[in-house]
Amino acid sequence: MDAGFTAEQDEIRRTLRELLGKRCGTAEQVRAAVDSPAGHDPALWDTLAGRLGLPGLALPEAYGGIGCSVTELALAAEETGRFLAPSPLLATAGLAAPLLLALGTQAQRAALLPRIASGGLTAALAVPGAALATALALTGTNGGDWAGGGRAGGVQARKAGDGWRLYGQADQVLDGHSAGLLVVAAHAGSFARSRTLLFLVHGDAEGVIGTRQTALDATRPRARVQLRDVAAELLGDEEGSEVPDGLARVGDGAAALLACEAVGAADRALARTVEYVRQREQFGRAVGSFQAVKHRLADVYVQVQAARSAAYYAAWAAADSERVGGLALAQALEALRHASGEGIQLHGGIGFTWEHEAHLYFKRASGDELLFGPVHRLRAHAAEGAGLFETTGVR
């Protein structure tokens, strides 16, 4: 592994940091984007997609992408996380597009991936209930019937002539209210041949009802998607044997992106806190000059740097099929929670006001833990996968 960045990678980071600093540099700008009908600034997304090509960074050139690796997309995610920039990047480029690339037929990839790469089509992964972390194999194995079946609810799929029909509901679909394409996980088959398959559904198809939900982290919009006898196209083949492993691979890459996002957010939260304690005075001195405050911020700094190293390694390893994204995500979310929590504390009375930007970072950490964690389960699953809990019989 080369620990240095290439000139192209440095340019991605610099360009994004300058652009997002102007468009999402203040809490007021972020909240304005969040309050829009789409949950993000469409003009900014057009710039990120059309001018910078972010959705196509990790897609092959044959499908209109740039042909980079997960590493470049992760570096872009670090900058979007730094400013908590609301965008469909994670849902589209981190979850849906890799599934299309891994499991889709040649015709499906050729029809959809160029539109995603250009930014003309956004996509979202719809998983029933609160099973997103399970489906992506981040907190446990995804071989079970997590898509729902029988009376368990979820989303049901049935054959109808040459196609499929879906019925059910997914409650936590990232950017599901505005996505042009939904990749829906659904339960299919009888009890004897029960399996989970993935389906493609147009966001404006008849019977699709996407309702934006109130979320703890408003900068990561999510929706309840209801499917009422909706026509769907099967993604890949009908056997579905590759679906669990495909979701697990995509989940590891998405975890690396999320880890880099969290590192960027934690770094920004720490920088804003350091800036404030240098200015705020108490007893005639800057608060940042007190040794206890220095020690607390030094602890945050060390934790953020350790999380950055883990996140970068996870992004690099994802291209080599080494699955360490979940462990990096656990460390990054813990660093963000610590950095944002200390930020609230060290900002004093103003930090406890709901309108202060420090709360946006704290809610990002808490919201991501609810969706993709919690931290202790991410670590437990990583430890189990590494065989740390296996007994050898040696006494």
Side-chain angles (χ1 to χ4, degrees):
M1 174 183 177
D2 184 358
F5 292 116
T6 65
E8 291 79 7
Q9 291 170 337
D10 283 332
E11 183 64 17
I12 290 173
R13 303 170 76 195
R14 184 193 64 78
T15 303
L16 270 176
R17 192 172 301 187
E18 289 181 0
L19 173 64
L20 295 174
K22 296 175 182 176
R23 303 286 289 272
C24 297
T26 66
E28 290 74 17
Q29 290 173 313
V30 172
R31 289 191 173 99
V34 165
D35 291 338
S36 67
H40 63 270
D41 180 0
L44 176 60
W45 175 247
D46 287 343
T47 301
L48 294 176
R51 199 181 91 188
L52 302 181
L54 291 196
L57 265 180
L59 291 178
E61 294 181 20
Y63 299 115
I66 298 177
C68 296
S69 66
V70 176
T71 303
E72 283 75 15
L73 188 58
L75 293 177
E78 182 180 2
E79 298 309 317
T80 60
R82 183 182 307 279
F83 297 98
L84 300 182
S87 81
L89 183 65
L90 175 65
T92 299
L95 294 172
L99 282 172
L100 284 167
L101 184 62
L103 303 177
T105 64
Q106 178 60 34
Q108 289 169 338
R109 293 196 295 264
L112 297 172
L113 289 179
R115 295 173 60 197
I116 289 176
S118 68
L121 177 67
T122 59
L125 173 62
V127 172
L132 183 58
T134 302
L136 298 175
L138 294 177
T139 56
T141 58
N142 63 355
D145 194 17
W146 47 267
R151 297 182 180 178
V155 179
Q156 309 298 316
R158 62 179 176 83
K159 286 291 289 286
D162 294 333
W164 291 80
R165 310 291 294 188
L166 302 185
Y167 190 93
Q169 178 173 298
D171 293 315
Q172 298 180 346
V173 183
L174 297 180
D175 293 289
H177 61 293
S178 61
L181 177 71
L182 297 171
V183 181
V184 183
H187 174 268
S190 61
F191 179 79
R193 297 194 69 243
S194 173
R195 62 202 184 281
T196 297
L197 300 176
L198 295 177
F199 297 88
L200 301 177
V201 175
H202 294 289
D204 58 356
E206 184 179 355
V208 176
I209 302 174
T211 307
R212 185 175 174 184
Q213 301 294 293
T214 300
L216 175 64
D217 176 19
T219 65
R220 191 145 356 243
R222 67 196 70 171
R224 174 184 293 123
V225 176
Q226 295 175 306
L227 304 159
R228 300 178 177 178
D229 197 26
V230 175
E233 177 185 353
L234 180 68
L235 179 65
D237 63 70
E238 192 172 328
E239 288 300 319
S241 58
E242 296 182 357
V243 168
D245 188 59
L247 282 167
R249 291 197 307 271
V250 169
D252 187 76
L257 299 184
L258 285 161
C260 285
E261 261 193 4
V263 165
D267 190 55
R268 167 85 168 178
L270 174 60
R272 298 289 283 175
T273 303
V274 170
E275 179 183 352
Y276 181 77
V277 297
R278 283 175 171 171
Q279 298 172 356
R280 179 187 171 201
E281 291 189 357
Q282 196 171 43
F283 307 113
R285 293 173 54 187
V287 171
S289 66
F290 293 109
Q291 191 174 42
V293 173
K294 290 180 180 180
H295 285 174
R296 290 170 67 173
L297 292 175
D299 288 342
V300 174
Y301 176 80
V302 170
Q303 194 170 20
V304 170
Q305 293 305 314
R308 174 176 280 114
S309 296
Y312 286 172
Y313 181 81
W316 172 82
D320 200 33
S321 300
E322 183 181 352
R323 299 181 184 178
V324 293
L327 195 57
L329 177 58
Q331 191 157 351
L333 288 179
E334 195 168 60
L336 176 54
R337 187 175 58 195
H338 189 195
S340 57
E342 289 286 20
I344 291 174
Q345 292 280 338
L346 294 176
H347 272 82
I350 193 174
F352 281 84
T353 59
W354 198 245
E355 295 77 16
H356 197 275
E357 68 171 3
H359 288 269
L360 293 175
Y361 290 91
F362 188 80
K363 285 187 282 189
R364 168 60 67 90
S366 302
D368 277 1
E369 272 208 69
L370 290 173
L371 272 175
F372 303 102
V375 165
H376 70 272
R377 291 188 61 189
L378 288 166
R379 285 184 171 143
H381 182 57
E384 185 177 2
L388 296 183
F389 298 147
E390 295 179 0
T391 57
T392 62
V394 178
R395 301 191 178 213

